[in-house]
Amino acid sequence: MDTVKVIVAGPRGRMGKEAVRMVQETGHFELAAVLDRKYDGQRLGDLEGFDGVDVPVFTDIHQCFSEVEADVLIDLTTPETGYVHTKTAIEHNIRPVVGTTGFTDGQLEELKQLAKEKGVGCIIAPNFAIGAVLMMKFSQLAAKYMDSVEIIELHHDRKLDAPSGTAIKTAQMISEVREEKKQGHPDEKETMTGARGAEMEGMHIHSVRLPGLIAHQQVLFGADGQTLTIRHDSYNRASFMSGVKVCVETVMNVDTLIYGMENILD
Ligand code: NAP
């Protein structure tokens, strides 16, 4: 396999640090540079926690792309910056692999059009954990045969949105194969608001928020005399890196924008 030259944007962040490590540890990847908000002109190795990582730090994306030869940009920053980075990378024929979340539907559509016009591959994946993507796929398969479903998602207590994007995506994937169906007793009544969780096409979604958790979800199926539980746990940010690696490899062989890792795992 040819060496893939990679630029990481957001290298000092929690995800970015792991991405720098993953690129360094992958034989056929080469870290070409990093894009940061600070430390322009310095070497990454001079910053705390990056001993021996001898690549340049840029704050100007145009300067970075004109001075550094690269195939892929991994973006793990913020929604505003990530959008500008992704657009600029496509314009420079550099393939973006984007983990940054929070792009609007309009921005996604615009990036999709741009990637198509330029024939440049781009992967935007709101969840890089391969296990989480498999959990969604397995749940979709199970729902064909067991159509009574409840989703419980559990996250750290700093999370702002509920239910999680992964829970919503799971319910959407299940609804592609499951007829809408009201679950529970037809006359059931909540004696305390929210007791039965949120509802999507009759599926109930419950959100747990506790310190100590990272990102977890279980999908429960019930039928006469049996239940099935499909559960995924992310215990740390390293859990996302095998997915980032697959996306960097895959993006080299596509010429459009792909949204969601479930669309690249067969
Ligand atoms: P984080 O720790 O806050 O890191 C974000 C980094 O981006 C920070 O180092 C920040 O620098 C840097 N940054 C901000 N503006 C920048 C710019 N203009 N140029 C370069 N770097 C810039 O956040 P995180 O937990 O690593 O998450 C990063 C993103 O990934 C978020 O959008 C998060 O939702 C997403 N995420 C995705 C997945 C997935 O599976 N796809 C999983 C976890 C997180 P400063 O520190 O100087 O502000």
Side-chain angles (χ1 to χ4, degrees):
M1 194 178 278
D2 291 340
T3 299
V4 182
K5 294 194 173 97
V6 179
I7 294 170
V8 173
R12 289 175 299 105
R14 287 165 294 187
M15 287 287 282
K17 268 197 195 96
E18 293 295 337
V20 166
R21 196 198 322 266
M22 181 278 291
V23 171
Q24 291 280 94
E25 287 173 358
T26 304
H28 56 289
F29 292 175
E30 181 188 319
L31 188 66
V34 295
L35 262 172
D36 204 331
R37 242 165 29 92
K38 316 176 192 167
Y39 306 114
D40 191 39
Q42 297 203 30
R43 309 297 292 181
L44 186 60
D46 295 336
L47 308 188
E48 202 188 327
F50 294 100
D51 274 356
V53 190
D54 188 28
V55 297
V57 181
F58 290 88
T59 54
D60 183 318
I61 191 167
H62 296 281
Q63 187 190 355
C64 178
F65 288 167
S66 65
E67 290 186 18
V68 174
E69 197 188 315
D71 304 298
V72 172
L73 170 75
I74 300 176
D75 191 273
L76 296 158
T77 59
T78 60
E80 302 76 28
T81 302
Y83 168 70
V84 174
H85 282 176
T86 307
K87 190 165 179 248
T88 311
I90 296 171
E91 285 164 352
H92 284 76
N93 292 314
I94 293 175
R95 300 166 148 87
V97 166
V98 183
T100 305
T101 54
F103 291 180
T104 65
D105 288 348
Q107 287 175 329
L108 287 171
E109 193 47 45
E110 195 188 318
L111 293 170
K112 199 172 182 174
Q113 284 306 325
L114 183 65
K116 193 174 164 192
E117 274 164 35
K118 299 280 291 177
V120 173
C122 172
I123 298 176
I124 301 180
N127 199 331
F128 279 128
I130 288 186
V133 177
L134 292 174
M135 168 198 57
M136 289 189 256
K137 284 190 168 247
F138 295 156
S139 299
Q140 191 183 45
L141 176 65
K144 277 189 193 169
Y145 306 99
M146 299 174 81
D147 62 3
S148 292
V149 193
E150 305 233 352
I151 299 171
I152 305 175
E153 57 94 340
L154 310 91
H155 281 84
H156 56 88
D157 63 352
R158 304 288 87 200
K159 186 167 177 61
L160 293 172
D161 52 321
S164 69
T166 300
I168 295 169
K169 181 74 191 170
T170 307
Q172 284 167 344
M173 285 173 67
I174 290 175
S175 66
E176 287 168 20
V177 300
R178 170 187 175 275
E179 291 289 311
E180 183 164 351
K181 167 185 159 169
K182 181 162 169 35
Q183 294 178 186
H185 194 286
D187 300 328
E188 77 177 11
K189 240 189 249 122
E190 284 185 343
T191 52
M192 226 182 255
T193 306
R196 292 285 288 125
E199 201 208 292
M200 200 180 125
E201 299 197 2
M203 282 175 273
H204 291 256
I205 306 177
H206 311 268
S207 299
V208 177
R209 296 290 176 264
L210 286 172
L213 295 170
I214 303 277
H216 319 258
Q217 178 168 295
Q218 57 189 55
V219 187
L220 292 90
F221 297 87
D224 281 347
Q226 58 180 321
T227 62
L228 169 67
T229 303
I230 300 172
R231 177 171 174 123
H232 176 260
D233 300 274
S234 274
Y235 296 111
N236 56 33
R237 286 176 175 76
S239 68
F240 300 112
M241 291 305 134
S242 53
V244 180
K245 187 171 164 216
V246 168
C247 289
V248 170
E249 288 164 350
T250 306
V251 82
M252 293 303 294
N253 298 314
V254 297
D255 56 9
T256 55
L257 185 151
I258 297 174
Y259 184 77
M261 282 230 314
E262 64 280 5
N263 295 312
I264 61 172
L265 297 181
D266 290 330

